[in-house]
Amino acid sequence: MDIIEQFKKQLTGINLAPESEEIGEVVEIKDNVAKISGLKGVGNFELVEFEGANTFGLVLNLEEHEVGVAVLGSDEKIKEGTVVKRTKKVFSLPVGEALLGRVVNPLGEPLDGKGEIKTKTYLPLERKGPSVIERQPVNTPLHTGIKAIDALIPIGRGQRELIIGDRGLGKTAIAIDAIINQKNEKNRPICVYVACGQKKSKVQRLIATLEKAGAMEYTIVVCATPDDPASFVYLAPFTGATMGEYFRDKGQDALAVYDDLTRQAWAWREISLILRRPPGREAFPGDVFYLHSRLLERAARLSEEMGGGSLTALPIIETQAGDVSGYIPTNVISITDGQIFLDATPFKKEQKPAINIGTSVSRVGSSAQMKATKKVSGRLKLDLAQFQELERFSEFTEELDPQTKLIIEKGKRMTLLLRQTDLFPLPIEKEVISIFACINGGIEDIPLDKIISFERDLLGEVEISCPEVLKEIKETRDLSEESTKKILEAIKKVKVSYGIKGGQK
């Protein structure tokens, strides 16, 4: 079913105005934005139909004698004088389980060649975010499978955590790891990935990656490419939010990735300038903050009375030369509940993910961590911050006291242990073992070139000699004293195999 038939299906039962009323004509058309006269009673975000052009438009501007409309599709057949009819219907989208595993455009139209999406449920594109009364505190973890994030910058279900950094530093990789990691999670969330202005080749590789990992079965991909109209790029994140909200309102958990909102802001600026809205800072319209705030405010953890579902948002913002003081970055930082800042400096040192620990933060904090992670990662951020300060100091002097040398040696090994290859997220129970070894394993005794193999051997040893520890962490979300002793014994055993007698040099 093409998109025109979908829209007409939505309009069934709506009494359109008589021919003499609520019919206008196109005064001007350029770059998929039309100026229309004659539609006196039309409402904002209402759909209008271009007669003979086989397409619809979305009303965005209400002026005294004209309305501004973003064309939802090709504008080739639209000319001056084209007749436009009101539909008296706001723009709604198909939602539901039928969309899982599918690739759609921002109008809900399939792009994957797998046939029609059979669903009878439609939700409006623009919806209000839940009120304070309808929400509850964010306290359930959403594990990404990335040690540095789950230990230092925890994300909770219902949170809005910004991923920000320059181009090519691995922002999308973090989001894809988070989606893949949900496969083995308890109460697995439904994932929605929004490719907003991304190249087709990148989106195709990404879909192939998700299919290979078996993640497409619980994922919806919304795709708006650079050659689509600006209206598609503007609508794509709202489409993703609406599709995620369907599951949130049913009491389930959902995760929406908006990749990226910088391009959505560019598309909105393009539409606004054609609509002759006054340009402000960096030529963006005055409501660009409202554009992102009304999108991200829809992410929430609902109260038990509302079903207890959640929608977690991972917006992505691209910076230029690490400058977070730009208009769009500062806007989105102020809206979200924390940010994961990717930096070029650790990236050049082959530290992946290239997270800047000092500037990254989660405003939900340890309340979004399970007990086991909280126990083992308490000192990690402090130890890493101390190491980074002393490392900078040590560049200017060779005379260091033994205690400082010990902190630096341990810090180097901790940094190596927090490295992680793309597309290989760790289950949370294995993350807890790695982070425990990071802090309590006496890793300063292990040669630097063997630290990666040490982690691999330790996880293998725990799986073989005490699998009940992994089971306990996974099921109880806690770490008992007995399990702690077993992990220490496993660390000692691996260190002995490395020629460190008694676990000590």
Side-chain angles (χ1 to χ4, degrees):
M1 184 191 293
D2 67 13
I3 194 62
I4 303 304
E5 288 175 12
Q6 280 190 35
F7 281 147
K8 285 181 177 173
K9 191 177 175 184
Q10 292 176 42
L11 303 176
T12 306
I14 300 293
N15 293 319
L16 299 182
E19 287 293 316
S20 59
E21 293 178 27
E22 308 301 0
I23 290 178
E25 65 173 34
V26 174
V27 175
E28 184 185 0
I29 176 77
K30 57 184 176 186
D31 294 329
N32 280 83
V33 176
K35 288 282 183 76
I36 299 163
S37 66
L39 298 178
K40 291 180 182 177
V42 77
N44 210 20
F45 290 107
E46 185 180 326
L47 280 175
V48 292
E49 185 179 357
F50 293 91
E51 205 170 65
N54 207 31
T55 190
F56 283 78
L58 185 66
V59 176
L60 294 174
N61 248 32
L62 301 176
E63 298 166 23
E64 191 177 354
H65 302 293
E66 295 175 349
V67 293
V69 173
V71 181
L72 302 176
S74 173
D75 62 354
E76 284 180 12
K77 295 181 182 177
I78 301 171
K79 297 172 184 174
E80 284 184 30
T82 299
V83 175
V84 186
K85 291 182 178 179
R86 276 191 70 190
T87 64
K88 295 187 177 179
K89 184 79 173 176
V90 294
F91 182 21
S92 298
L93 292 162
V95 294
E97 285 78 6
L99 284 145
L100 294 177
R102 302 300 299 268
V103 183
V104 297
N105 70 10
L107 308 178
E109 186 177 20
L111 297 174
D112 50 14
K114 292 181 182 177
E116 181 188 344
I117 295 169
K118 295 178 181 177
T119 180
K120 292 180 181 177
T121 313
Y122 286 80
L123 285 177
L125 178 87
E126 290 278 354
R127 300 175 78 206
K128 275 189 176 181
S131 67
V132 176
I133 303 298
E134 294 169 335
R135 298 172 185 246
Q136 65 169 307
V138 174
N139 51 26
T140 308
L142 183 129
H143 297 125
T144 62
I146 300 168
K147 290 172 281 188
I149 293 175
D150 293 338
L152 301 169
I153 320 150
I155 300 171
R157 298 191 183 200
Q159 193 176 343
R160 301 155 300 178
E161 184 77 11
L162 172 63
I163 302 171
I164 185 168
D166 288 0
R167 192 174 187 174
L169 295 184
K171 300 186 295 298
T172 303
I174 287 176
I176 297 307
D177 277 352
I179 291 173
I180 292 171
N181 191 59
Q182 303 315 310
K183 189 176 181 183
N184 303 315
E185 278 290 296
K186 198 177 178 181
N187 301 324
R188 180 173 69 195
I190 299 300
C191 301
V192 183
Y193 176 81
V194 180
C196 188
Q198 302 296 327
K199 290 180 185 175
K200 283 182 183 176
S201 56
K202 179 182 176 180
V203 179
Q204 284 169 348
R205 284 198 306 272
L206 189 143
I207 293 165
T209 302
L210 291 174
E211 283 176 344
K212 189 179 176 183
M216 273 305 283
E217 64 187 60
Y218 56 86
T219 303
I220 304 166
V221 177
V222 180
C223 182
T225 56
D227 57 352
D228 283 330
S231 57
F232 276 32
V233 181
Y234 153 66
L235 292 173
F238 291 103
T239 300
T242 301
M243 290 173 176
E245 279 178 329
Y246 167 80
F247 297 99
R248 181 201 71 186
D249 295 345
K250 278 182 69 182
Q252 294 175 252
D253 293 318
L255 166 66
V257 175
Y258 308 121
D259 188 9
D260 68 50
L261 294 188
T262 309
R263 285 173 171 79
Q264 188 202 20
W266 292 347
W268 184 236
R269 174 169 62 184
E270 183 183 328
I271 293 167
S272 298
L273 290 172
I274 298 168
L275 288 170
R276 310 292 295 169
R277 291 187 176 185
R281 181 177 163 189
E282 295 177 30
F284 285 105
D287 67 342
V288 74
F289 181 92
Y290 177 54
L291 171 79
H292 289 149
S293 64
R294 75 175 189 267
L295 169 71
L296 295 170
E297 282 298 325
R298 291 163 73 169
R301 182 166 181 80
L302 297 181
S303 64
E304 294 302 327
E305 292 77 17
M306 296 290 290
S310 73
L311 174 62
T312 309
L314 292 181
I316 294 175
I317 287 287
E318 187 179 297
T319 54
Q320 306 293 325
D323 179 21
V324 293
S325 64
Y327 188 30
I328 302 303
T330 50
N331 276 353
V332 183
I333 285 170
S334 66
I335 296 164
T336 49
D337 309 311
Q339 68 273 353
I340 298 164
F341 182 57
L342 302 186
D343 198 348
T345 306
F347 187 81
K348 286 170 187 170
K349 292 179 181 176
E350 297 183 5
Q351 182 69 26
K352 294 179 184 178
I355 297 170
N356 184 323
I357 304 298
T359 51
S360 299
V361 65
S362 171
R363 295 189 186 110
V364 172
S366 60
S367 59
Q369 279 180 318
M370 64 183 202
K371 282 184 180 178
T373 319
K374 212 181 289 187
K375 279 181 182 177
V376 299
S377 64
R379 272 179 32 219
L380 185 60
K381 193 160 191 173
L382 187 66
D383 286 359
L384 278 170
Q386 195 177 20
F387 156 67
Q388 286 168 354
E389 284 298 315
L390 290 172
E391 188 184 34
R392 280 195 286 271
F393 172 73
S394 68
E395 289 171 3
F396 301 102
T397 179
E398 290 181 2
E399 295 176 13
L400 298 170
D401 62 273
Q403 184 62 30
T404 305
K405 279 183 181 176
L406 190 70
I407 292 168
I408 289 172
E409 288 303 312
K410 185 178 180 181
K412 284 177 182 176
R413 286 153 179 80
M414 287 167 77
T415 307
L416 281 174
L417 270 178
L418 288 175
R419 275 190 191 178
Q420 210 162 331
T421 314
D422 289 351
L423 308 176
F424 286 98
L426 265 184
I428 190 63
E429 59 271 21
K430 291 187 177 181
E431 277 188 28
V432 169
I433 305 293
S434 291
I435 297 159
F436 179 87
C438 228
I439 296 173
N440 306 304
I443 53 173
E444 58 273 13
D445 298 333
I446 303 164
L448 265 176
D449 58 346
K450 289 187 178 179
I451 203 77
I452 303 297
S453 57
F454 164 75
E455 182 188 27
R456 187 178 59 246
D457 294 344
L458 173 62
L459 292 173
E461 177 62 33
V462 171
E463 275 184 294
I464 294 164
S465 63
C466 46
E468 66 277 4
V469 173
L470 294 172
K471 191 179 177 185
E472 181 196 3
I473 297 168
K474 190 174 182 178
E475 290 179 0
T476 68
R477 323 297 269 179
D478 205 349
L479 189 65
S480 64
E481 281 187 30
E482 190 182 335
S483 294
T484 304
K485 288 174 187 174
K486 287 178 182 176
I487 298 169
L488 286 168
E489 282 172 20
I491 292 170
K492 189 176 178 182
K493 196 172 178 181
V494 175
K495 285 170 84 174
V496 167
S497 72
Y498 279 47
I500 302 169
K501 291 182 182 178
Q504 298 289 327
K505 263 190 175 176

